[in-house]
Every structure is written in structure tokens, then in C-alpha cells.
Amino acid sequence: MCSTKCFIIPPHILEELAKRGNSSCKKTLNDTARITEKRQTALNHLLQREHQESRGDRYIYDCKNTYQQRVELIIEEGGEFIKDETANEAYKTSGFVRDYFKNAFGLNSIDGNGLDIISNIHYGENYNNAYWDGDEMTYGDGDGKEFTDFASAIDVVAHELAHGVTQFLSNLEYQSQPGALNEHFSDVFGTVIKQKYLNQTVEEADWLIGDSVVTEEFPGVAIRSMKAPGTANEFDSQPDHMDNYYNGMADNQGVHINSGIPNKAFYLSCMELGLDDCALIWFQTLKALWRTANFNDMLETILATAQNLTEEGNVSERSVEVLSKSFSAVGIISIVV
Amino acid sequence: MRYRIEISGGFSGIPKTYEGRANIEKEQLEKIIHYLEENTNESNPDLRDGQQYSFQIEEGTQSHSALFTEKSLPTELRQLLEQLAHPN
């Protein structure tokens, strides 16, 4: 049992114990990193935080095309819709994501403790991005030329909120393979929630991420494809196999690039096991992972998670076999010691 | 003034580069150089899908460059980027 003594244990020992399934050491490892990170921005966050009650309430702020967050509160939980359709969509989609995590996994908002869900819309001018900053989401309107209205896209909203969920469950660091896994989990829940929102089957779904935020002028159909990584647009360099793994330094060592490899494994698994079984397996795996987990750790953890869920009768008996096959198909193979 | 501005990262992960020449008033140029030299490179370790902004400016024999995060990029440089990326 790992108690407060864990704080004097070196991180590499904590990591090894976490890999062997010691959940309290994993929690200590993740909490220690999070506390260290939080110290750096604590004052800023304290100054920004206005809502002390935590019920997973939604707050939509209009940035009024400035580069400031929380310029004007325009919708809050239970409030009426307004003329601004982007605001209404951001309210609806963030609620759908919150309710999905609650209903599917019993997770009470992003952090499991009812963290309020704060969305900033109309951020900047021609701002082609959406991000999670550790506390809240921020969405640009796009330049209207290649990108448009990030806040109205269910998969974008789910992707960003899932970054929050990851932060509180496993706190995967944002570089190299742990970072690619961080992006992977956001794409996983982005596509799962999109399919639920659109009431699609896995066969009907397009498995695209960000298809509704690109315009007709954009040279492609979406930002990413989980079914066929590397094919969503002219700039899409995502690999779908470890043979084409990106080893460069750009993009925090390829967090948006190498995520294509586990993304493809997720797609292959879903086509065999269905969306709900895979979503449960991936969610429980996210809870079991730790800050520095790499692709091989992911495989070991997901197989152990699937085995447990199978024994409990919660997922298909074929889960372990299908997952092994899917990860093997993208070149992530168990290392036998 | 010659400029080269690279945007990387972000939700899309698609890099974007703007480069060329621009006629900037002396007062604005001095402010730009000030921001490039005074860059604190403040970052937020919890930021996910944030963009990085690389600025390179050349004026005469002088060159200045700096890398900014979503958090550290000053509003004035965002406005310059907007002005150069969307001139109309």
C-alpha cells in the first residue's frame, strides 16, 4: 500500500509500481506532477476562477473577438438560448459531452467532482483553433476561408473536453508518445461522442475528426481520419503504422501526428467489438494509465483492462483477442520479457 | 521590414507560414522589436492544442526572432499577425 511515504520515493520507482498496477502510486505520481504544474499558474488561476460551486454547470462566455477569455457571460446553466447560434451550439454540445461521460462511465463532469464547464467562444479574429487550458475551453470562429466555427462542432468540443478528462484521470504529459496518447484519447472520445450525437452506427460513421470545421476551400475533407490516418487533407502526415512513426521534434514530438497509430487501432477494434465496448475499455484504460505511459504501456494496460472487464461480463469475450489483433495491425506488439 | 511567422501545433496540427515584406511605421516597428526582445516565453503546462508562434523580423542589418506560446503572445503581435495574414 502506498501512503504519504510515496512522496519521498523517486519517480522512476513510482512509475514502475504504477505499471504493475499499484493505483495509489499512480495517483501519487500524477498528483505530484499536477501539483508542480499547478504551482506555476496557481495565482493566475485563482484570479480567474469565479465559480466556487461545482455542479458541472455550463458557462458560455463571449470573447467578442478579442484575445481575452471571459469577456461577457452570455449563457449559464439553465438559461435561455440567445440569438448567437454558436453560443447555443457550444452550450448544447458541451452538455451532451458532460452527460455522455456521466451516463456511460459515471464520471461527474470533467474532473469527476463536478467541475464547471466553461467555454469561451468568438476568441480572437480569424482564429483557427480550439484549445483546453487546464481549466476551460476556448474556441475561435475560424477565418471563414479554410476553417469555421470550432465551438459548434461536436467532435471538437468532445476532443477538448476529453483533454480535461485526461488531465484529471491520467495526466499524460504532452510530448512524444504520452502526448500522442493524450491526443489519441481526445480523438477517441471526440469520435465516440460524435457518433452518439449523430445517432450513427460504426458502419455509418465517417470516422473523421473536424470535418465540420473545414470549408469547401480547405484542401481536404477533415483534420484527421481515424479510419485512414494520413488521408484527411493535403497536410495530413499521420502514420497508421509504427513503421512510419514520426521521430521529429515538431508538434511536441508529433503528438498530433503519431496519434494516428493508436487511432487506427481504435477504429479496427470498434469495427469488431462495437462502439460501446471499446469506449468502456478505452475509458477504463485511461483511468489506469499514468503520466509517462508510452504505446507499449498502453497495450499492456488495455489488454489487462479488457481482461478484467471481460471477466466481469461487461464487454465481449473476444475483446482481448480483437485488441491484440488491432494493435498488432498497427505495429504495436506486446514485448515478451 | 522582412518577416517570417510560423504557426505550429493547435487542434489541427497543420503548420502555417507567412513571409514577405511589409511597410511598418517606425513607432510600430520599435514596439514589435521590443516585444520580440522582451519575450518571457511564459507557458501553461496544462495547455492542450495551443499553438506556437515563431516570429522572425529583419530590418536593415538587424534581425530579431522569438518563439511565443498561446499564453505569451502579446496582443500587439497577434494584431500584427492578423494584419499580415489578412491584409484586407
Side-chain angles (χ1 to χ4, degrees), chain A residues 268-292:
Chain A
L268 293 171
S269 301
C270 286
M271 297 311 286
E272 296 276 332
L273 297 172
L275 198 69
D276 290 337
D277 276 12
C278 286
L280 178 60
I281 293 167
W282 256 258
F283 180 77
Q284 294 298 340
T285 300
L286 179 60
K287 284 173 72 175
L289 287 176
W290 54 96
R291 192 173 59 89
T292 56

Side-chain angles (χ1 to χ4, degrees), chain A residues 118-129:
Chain A
I118 297 164
S119 304
N120 296 277
I121 64 170
H122 303 312
Y123 181 76
E125 290 183 37
N126 301 303
Y127 185 69
N128 289 329
N129 196 26

Side-chain angles (χ1 to χ4, degrees), chain A residues 112-231:
Chain A
N113 284 310
L115 184 73
D116 287 338
I117 297 173
I118 297 164
S119 304
N120 296 277
I121 64 170
H122 303 312
Y123 181 76
E125 290 183 37
N126 301 303
Y127 185 69
N128 289 329
N129 196 26
Y131 64 84
W132 162 260
D133 70 3
D135 290 307
E136 52 200 76
M137 279 80 59
T138 299
Y139 304 97
D141 293 329
D143 57 9
K145 189 181 170 197
E146 292 182 320
F147 296 99
T148 184
D149 202 1
F150 285 80
S152 295
I154 181 67
D155 50 357
V156 175
V157 171
H159 177 105
E160 297 309 328
L161 269 161
H163 275 309
V165 171
T166 295
Q167 176 181 316
F168 289 101
L169 292 188
S170 63
N171 201 24
L172 287 159
E173 64 185 13
Y174 207 53
Q175 61 177 348
S176 193
Q177 287 193 14
L181 289 175
N182 196 320
E183 277 300 319
H184 162 64
F185 279 104
S186 274
D187 279 350
V188 161
F189 292 108
T191 201
V192 166
I193 292 170
K194 177 183 172 187
Q195 289 179 36
K196 294 290 180 186
Y197 192 74
L198 299 175
N199 203 19
Q200 293 175 327
T201 65
V202 292
E203 290 83 12
E204 291 167 343
D206 57 20
W207 296 90
L208 297 173
I209 299 289
D211 54 305
S212 66
V213 300
V214 300
T215 66
E216 286 187 2
E217 283 186 53
F218 179 76
V221 295
I223 304 293
R224 290 181 282 279
S225 168
M226 300 187 80
K227 180 179 180 179
T231 66

Side-chain angles (χ1 to χ4, degrees), chain B residues 25-42:
Chain B
E25 289 185 10
K26 188 182 174 187
E27 191 179 344
Q28 188 186 4
L29 180 62
E30 285 173 353
K31 281 185 183 173
I32 292 165
I33 292 169
H34 169 76
Y35 286 121
L36 296 182
E37 291 182 342
E38 296 296 310
N39 177 24
T40 58
N41 209 14
E42 186 183 6

